[in-house]
Amino acid sequence: DLRMSRGLGDVYKRQELTQIFRSLLKENVTTKHAPAFYANKMNVSVIYLNEAVKAATGNSVTQNIHHEIIVRARRELVYTNKSVKEIAVGLGFEDYAYFTRIFTRITGQSPNLFRKNHQ
């Protein structure tokens, strides 16, 4: 059935785009937080990239970016003595208060409280 094969092709295309996105994200997350950066690098629209990533992962491009930032921030909070501001700057945030808001919204606790609870 032609429709089915086209559907499978779409699934593989979404998975492939998502793998490329994740690879680019790991390389660039410390400097690039905008979905448009990744879409432009992949020569697709932000809307198409978001649809593909959401279909493959269940989360939007922005959620994936924030997740990668939080994973790295948690690691640094637990395994280094860097200040929250140093960690925020290292993850590409000029405004460390904004970083703190994102971290707190996603994890349910401030970076300082997270560090205190995991040392």
Side-chain angles (χ1 to χ4, degrees):
D1 182 314
L2 187 58
R3 283 173 303 176
M4 189 155 168
S5 64
R6 191 170 9 149
L8 267 180
D10 289 345
V11 170
Y12 292 128
K13 178 88 171 149
R14 287 193 299 260
Q15 289 173 342
E16 184 182 5
L17 276 173
T18 300
Q19 286 177 329
I20 294 166
F21 163 69
R22 284 187 163 164
S23 178
L24 284 169
L25 180 60
K26 288 188 186 314
E27 293 170 21
N28 296 284
V29 73
T30 58
T31 56
K32 305 294 182 190
H33 300 161
F37 168 81
Y38 299 97
N40 290 340
K41 286 287 257 190
M42 298 169 67
N43 295 317
V44 297
S45 72
V46 174
I47 292 169
Y48 185 72
L49 178 60
N50 207 42
E51 287 173 359
V53 169
K54 193 160 191 153
T57 69
N59 293 311
S60 69
V61 169
T62 299
Q63 288 171 317
N64 275 272
I65 293 167
H66 287 171
H67 179 262
E68 185 66 25
I69 290 165
I70 297 305
V71 165
R72 291 175 186 223
R74 284 178 168 158
R75 192 176 305 132
E76 292 210 38
L77 286 163
V78 172
Y79 296 110
T80 74
N81 291 319
K82 291 180 186 176
S83 70
V84 172
K85 188 172 185 173
E86 287 174 304
I87 293 169
V89 169
L91 289 170
F93 290 86
E94 291 176 24
D95 178 2
Y96 87 99
Y98 178 60
F99 162 78
T100 298
R101 284 195 303 277
I102 289 173
F103 188 95
T104 303
R105 181 172 43 82
I106 292 171
T107 66
Q109 54 191 331
S110 71
N112 286 324
L113 185 58
F114 178 86
R115 174 177 268 161
K116 187 177 156 200
N117 290 336
H118 291 86
Q119 283 187 328

